[in-house]
Amino acid sequence: MGGRGHPGRGTPWLGAGTLSWREAAVSRSPEGNAFTPGPHASLLALTQPAVPGAEQILTPDALAFVTELERRFGARRRALLATRLERRARFRQGELPDFLPDTLEVREAPWRVAPAPADLDDRRVEITGPVERKMMINALNSGAKVFMADFEDALSPSWENVVAGQENCIAAIRRTLTYDSPEGKAYRLNPDLATLVIRPRGWHLVEKHALLDGEPVSGSLFDFGLYFFHNAHELLRRGSGPYFYLPKLESHHEARLWNDVFCFAQEALGLPQGTIRATVLIETILAAFEMEEILFELKDHAAGLNAGRWDYIFSVLKNFGHRPEFLLPDRAAVTMAVPFMRCYTDMLVRACHRRGAHAIGGMAAYIPSRKDKAANERAMMKVREDKGREASNGFDGSWVAHPDLVPVARACFDAVLGDRPNQKERLREEVHPSRQGLLNVAIPGAQVTEHGVRTNIRVALEYVENWLDGRGAVGIDNLMEDSATAEISRTQLQQWLRQGAPLAEGGVLTRERYAVLAQEELAALEAAGHGGLRLAEASALLERLVHEAVPEEFLTLGAYRYLTTWSAPPPKRPGPRAPRTGARDPQGRALLFPFIRSWGGRFRTCNLPVNSRALCQLSYTPRLLPVSLSRTNTPSLPRLESKTTRRTRAGRWRLGDEHAGYARPASRRFEFRLLSRLARRVSMGGRGYSSAPPPVKGVRSGSGRREGMMSPSVLRPPPGHGTLADPAPPDPRPTSRRARRPPPAGPFA
């Protein structure tokens, strides 16, 4: 029983006595998924306190499995991300993508993917949604054939949401998922459920709360590893299997990495190769040139391709939005019927059916209205038209965002499929892959309008505000929005501003005109009941993104810095030290200010609690990120036992007469001494940021300083959030003649 066993023959036991896992850091026992760290293993370091469900999800065995995934595949992931950036730089120099000559043999060879499992063969209607308890129950009960539970675009990846999502998936598979609403309504699972498919985060995202050797692990491997470890055997026992959607792929090399992850994971847990099945979202224009290569790389694990329409449009804008010929009109005008989108979807159906894979259509994001029956019927007609076109074009299924749309979409596919589970026999041989068809994005008659500009501003602001507050799927204007639509909104605004897009109402979109529209939309949201810290953060983030010369890779990368608090653990101190409580927002979360410093023009940020006496922010521009909220009770900074901080705690601050609640240190030299000391002790807030700054130059004795240096200040909280509550009492020990004076009144008194 100690042999390794063939992956396809039975269930092998990877016994520690015969298969050395010293370098793998984990080993499996015959009882199930019982992994134990090897003698040279180091598990993940979790930087957040325990949250509900953590004891079930974040077990030592599960973390050992994720650790091994990161050790084996993390470097390859980072190399592929670097390749993305290099390729994008070439596009900005004038290069355009094309079909790969090196893989011509793959495209012309006669091969097919593995047959689909029984519960993944009929996919005529698929519903999507976040891994939130109530929405999962409604989706699983909706009557759809498949439910895609989303850890990516539809999830705000706070630590609580990520752990709760894994817990909900475990409960859903074991049929124990329940929810009781505050109104007293009980939600329970029906006997007949949709097949569960999981979408982990894309390769570009990390999980900052799980560190390996001081670096955050891949969000993709974290989501996949925990779900697969806890549920793979249980799914097989129930007649299903571990099924996945793979997002944001840009090349067949990235699909090859996923395939290698699958092969290792199945071998490690003693499952036959091919147990995992994955459907790839073709949601980047670069992946559209490599669809058959992507299927070939996954082959035994491939289940199909999906037309991810919103992210596809975003990919076009991100990679080629700097070129005048790629100027796109209002988002509402870029439908699946326009030429370049029709070319992309026709090629997808052809590639899938040639290789025996499912072709899944795009999203119907409409949320039915029970108040306006006329508007509801008009929207339903559009859904029927969209799904009817997909069914007649050869798709085997399609996506909807709301349970009420399931019967509408199902009727469209029933009319074409009848009793057949799919229409893979329809090969679409009349379709020929065309580089020109994919790259010609002209839409005759379509324009950029002021209404389109306002819509993009409002959608981006409202969605990011909700995302920062923990909600990844948001209903806006009767449409279910996720991060993909927010990405389109901000990249279109950036493109229109950069190119000075002409507006249908006359004139062009200038920075000044955009600023007026943005302020009006922001005021409208505040009047509608939005506002506070999250809306201020969303506004600051959007302001920075739309004025960038080169679009940021993903909006969620910048927003993730607001959502999380990632700091190094405090240094060890002798004896217990009680945590200090700082200011709180109305929900009881600790209020933080970002500490921003500049050395040689580069800006680095980290979050500091407002109750620290050493809070400073270099005044530079309103576009800098203003305020962050920690989502947990973040401990204060370690008390710095130095002459500078003793003076600070003793109250060596003075209030500016013209600014109530606005404090400045007493001298310029003191300011930079304070900055230097803090910067050496505070962990900076992002990968690659150094915790030790270069030496400060140009500081003279006395109160003078070199011309051009920026003065620190302490910012007040935004309006509506009160003053800084419960400040730490000043140190009563006098340290100087000035310190013996009574401290001034104010929030920092």
Side-chain angles (χ1 to χ4, degrees), residues 87 100 103 106-107 111 113 246-259 278-306 351 355 357:
R87 194 177 186 188
L100 302 178
T103 58
V106 171
R107 296 195 297 273
W111 54 268
V113 302
L246 305 182
K248 306 292 190 297
L249 298 192
E250 294 191 4
S251 73
H252 68 282
H253 298 288
E254 297 177 13
R256 182 182 301 169
L257 175 57
W258 267 120
N259 192 71
T279 304
V280 177
L281 289 119
I282 303 300
E283 51 188 354
T284 67
I285 189 172
L286 306 181
F289 286 92
E290 303 182 33
M291 287 189 280
E292 292 191 66
E293 291 90 333
I294 287 172
L295 286 174
F296 181 80
E297 292 295 343
L298 290 166
K299 210 168 184 181
D300 292 340
H301 300 113
L305 302 178
N306 174 282
R355 307 306 179 182

Side-chain angles (χ1 to χ4, degrees), residues 7-12 114-120 196 224 227-228 231-237 239-244 259 262-263 265-267 269-278 298-303:
R9 300 173 186 163
T11 303
D119 60 339
L120 208 58
L196 183 62
F224 164 80
Y227 176 80
F228 185 76
N231 301 298
H233 285 278
E234 182 66 24
L235 285 164
L236 291 177
R237 281 193 287 270
S240 186
Y243 306 143
F244 297 92
N259 192 71
F262 294 161
C263 291
Q266 290 166 141
E267 184 180 11
L269 265 64
L271 298 176
Q273 295 295 322
T275 299
I276 295 174
R277 293 306 172 90
L298 290 166
K299 210 168 184 181
D300 292 340
H301 300 113

Side-chain angles (χ1 to χ4, degrees), residues 653-665:
W653 297 86
R654 65 187 181 198
L655 291 175
D657 296 334
E658 68 278 14
H659 297 292
Y662 186 92
R664 286 185 178 276

Side-chain angles (χ1 to χ4, degrees), residues 369-412:
S369 171
R370 295 177 173 86
K371 297 180 180 179
D372 191 340
K373 292 185 178 180
N376 195 55
E377 184 56 34
R378 288 193 299 270
M380 289 297 184
M381 288 181 60
K382 293 182 179 180
V383 173
R384 293 188 191 99
E385 179 185 351
D386 183 38
K387 299 309 170 188
R389 180 176 57 250
E390 289 181 334
S392 62
N393 286 345
F395 281 99
D396 303 298
S398 189
W399 275 10
V400 298
H402 194 278
D404 288 354
L405 298 182
V406 170
V408 178
R410 182 162 188 162
C412 295

Side-chain angles (χ1 to χ4, degrees), residues 599 671-681 693-694 696:
W599 307 110
E671 292 175 5
F672 282 95
R673 288 172 60 194
L674 179 60
L675 289 174
S676 300
R677 291 178 182 273
L678 280 176
R680 293 188 182 96
R681 299 296 298 273
V696 180

